[in-house]
Amino acid sequence: PSPRSFQPNGASEEALRCEIEELKQKDLALDQEIAQLLSEGYSLEELDKHISLLHEYNEIKDAGQMLLGKLAVIRGVTTKQLYPEYDLELSD
């Protein structure tokens, strides 16, 4: 059970109303951002493609980080110590 389930109904309902309002505001902000990008000449298909590529990049990066971490454990060093060996920047 979540902590909210122990709150009085009024408090729980108020928390839900606040959460709904926050989500509505985020939805509005995203709609405005999409409208801005469309007005700058981007298409929805192009935006979808960029999002898809970003997801793919992040999955590949996560896999690389995992492998780097396992290699660091095997060698008994920190991941940070392996970065220069593979010409990686700490921001990578």
Side-chain angles (χ1 to χ4, degrees):
S2 71
R4 288 185 180 178
S5 64
F6 297 111
Q7 294 177 346
N9 282 343
S12 177
E13 289 176 19
E14 182 60 29
L16 287 174
R17 280 191 196 96
C18 288
E19 190 173 344
I20 289 170
E21 187 58 36
E22 287 174 15
L23 289 171
K24 286 180 180 179
Q25 292 298 321
K26 286 181 183 179
D27 185 48
L28 179 62
L30 288 171
D31 285 345
Q32 291 172 342
E33 190 174 341
I34 289 170
Q36 174 68 32
L37 291 169
L38 291 173
S39 73
E40 292 173 6
Y42 293 98
S43 70
L44 288 178
E45 294 80 19
E46 186 178 9
L47 295 173
D48 285 340
K49 179 67 175 172
H50 283 284
I51 291 169
S52 176
L53 290 172
L54 283 171
H55 284 296
E56 184 178 347
Y57 166 80
N58 284 327
E59 289 172 7
I60 292 168
K61 183 178 177 184
D62 289 346
Q65 289 291 326
M66 183 184 68
L67 291 172
L68 203 60
K70 289 181 184 253
L71 182 60
V73 169
I74 290 168
R75 291 189 180 177
V77 298
T78 66
T79 304
K80 183 178 178 179
Q81 291 171 308
L82 293 176
Y83 274 57
E85 184 176 339
Y86 295 97
D87 295 323
L88 297 171
E89 299 290 328
L90 287 177
S91 61
D92 285 344

